[in-house]
Amino acid sequence: MKVIAHIHTEFPTKFGIPRQSGIIGSLQGTIVFEPEYRSPEAVRGLEEFSHLWLLWEFSEAKRDGWWPTVRPPRLGGNVRKGVFATRSPFRPNPIGLSSVRLERIETDSALGPVLHVSGADLMDGTPIYDIKPYIVYTDSHPEAVSGFAVQPAEYLLDVTIPEELLDRIPEAQRESLIAVLAHDPRPQYQDDPERVYGMEFAGMEIKFTIHEKQLNVINIIT
């Protein structure tokens, strides 16, 4: 397996990354190919597709050995499911799969073709093994059943950011950041209203507390 590219996103650490791709469509990312794969011919025709599949490596979740069951955060971290019935990063092979929207392809004089995508759920610098076009008539299954991973209706939080802190957020990142916070970046088994959480995003450190369905940003360090 060869790494063909790396993706660059607003998430320097794992904390806060959306739990699935496509949940927050405003999140932007760029895919830069490794020198060996920077041929414009390699992406010829890709602009005809609106969405892509990314096959990538859980580079920050490597472990020796594997376990047949894991504890999905969606179930509070207390219920075990078979590893192949989950999207846990702790797998026999640390391979991730994400569907993203292709916004445009830019040709850079030094980097070759650069893919601009949205809706990615990857950490900055994640290695990518392959890129494939998303094909509607085979890849979309409206009748599919999602088991325990059905999104609950009460998933979103109300986000409050004081005006003086909101001014510290570049306008281009505001929508995405608020959406990330609204989707509750905490592990789902953590629920401490007194705890101050910290999340890195787009060069900022966001400090916040959560009580019931209310998330309050208390500081932004730039």
Side-chain angles (χ1 to χ4, degrees):
M1 296 284 285
K2 296 181 179 179
V3 174
I4 65 163
H6 289 82
I7 190 168
H8 299 286
T9 70
E10 305 287 17
F11 296 98
T13 66
K14 293 183 291 183
F15 188 84
I17 295 177
R19 293 173 176 86
Q20 303 292 343
S21 58
I23 289 180
I24 302 176
S26 60
L27 284 173
Q28 303 296 307
T30 55
I31 296 173
V32 177
F33 288 94
E34 290 293 282
E36 182 180 353
Y37 304 101
R38 290 178 182 173
S39 169
E41 292 296 300
V43 297
R44 185 169 61 179
L46 194 62
E47 73 282 354
E48 301 171 16
F49 295 88
S50 65
H51 291 74
L52 309 174
W53 287 111
L54 305 180
L55 284 84
W56 48 276
E57 181 185 28
F58 285 106
S59 54
E60 298 300 310
K62 293 181 180 179
R63 291 184 177 181
D64 293 329
W66 70 286
W67 293 266
T69 61
V70 295
R71 301 176 187 267
R74 172 62 62 87
L75 299 177
N78 298 316
V79 178
R80 285 195 172 273
K81 293 286 185 179
V83 65
F84 300 126
T86 76
R87 296 190 178 188
S88 167
F90 305 113
R91 324 184 63 78
N93 293 303
I95 297 173
L97 177 69
S98 296
S99 176
V100 299
R101 183 176 185 87
L102 176 62
E103 299 292 344
R104 68 184 190 278
I105 302 175
E106 175 187 5
T107 300
D108 183 274
S109 59
L111 301 176
V114 175
L115 309 185
H116 292 259
V117 300
S118 59
D121 57 340
L122 287 76
M123 191 175 73
D124 184 52
T126 294
I128 295 176
Y129 287 130
D130 204 0
I131 298 169
K132 299 177 186 292
Y134 179 101
I135 301 174
V136 175
Y137 77 89
T138 59
D139 295 349
S140 177
H141 302 279
E143 77 285 2
V145 177
S146 297
F148 69 86
V150 175
Q151 179 173 317
E154 67 275 11
Y155 197 49
L156 295 181
L157 302 175
D158 291 323
V159 178
T160 298
I161 305 176
E163 195 67 32
E164 65 271 17
L165 296 181
L166 190 63
D167 290 340
R168 300 180 190 178
I169 306 171
E171 191 168 343
Q173 273 83 41
R174 288 182 187 177
E175 179 184 353
S176 297
L177 174 59
I178 292 172
V180 168
L181 295 174
H183 278 79
D184 196 347
R186 302 171 301 173
Q188 292 195 347
Y189 50 83
Q190 290 187 5
D191 186 17
D192 181 359
E194 302 299 323
R195 180 171 177 175
V196 175
Y197 296 90
M199 184 186 79
E200 293 184 61
F201 181 85
M204 301 172 286
E205 186 174 3
I206 316 299
K207 299 287 189 179
F208 59 92
T209 60
I210 299 178
H211 180 61
E212 295 181 347
K213 294 299 179 183
Q214 182 66 49
L215 184 149
N216 296 305
V217 175
I218 61 174
N219 196 12
I220 295 179
I221 303 170
T222 59

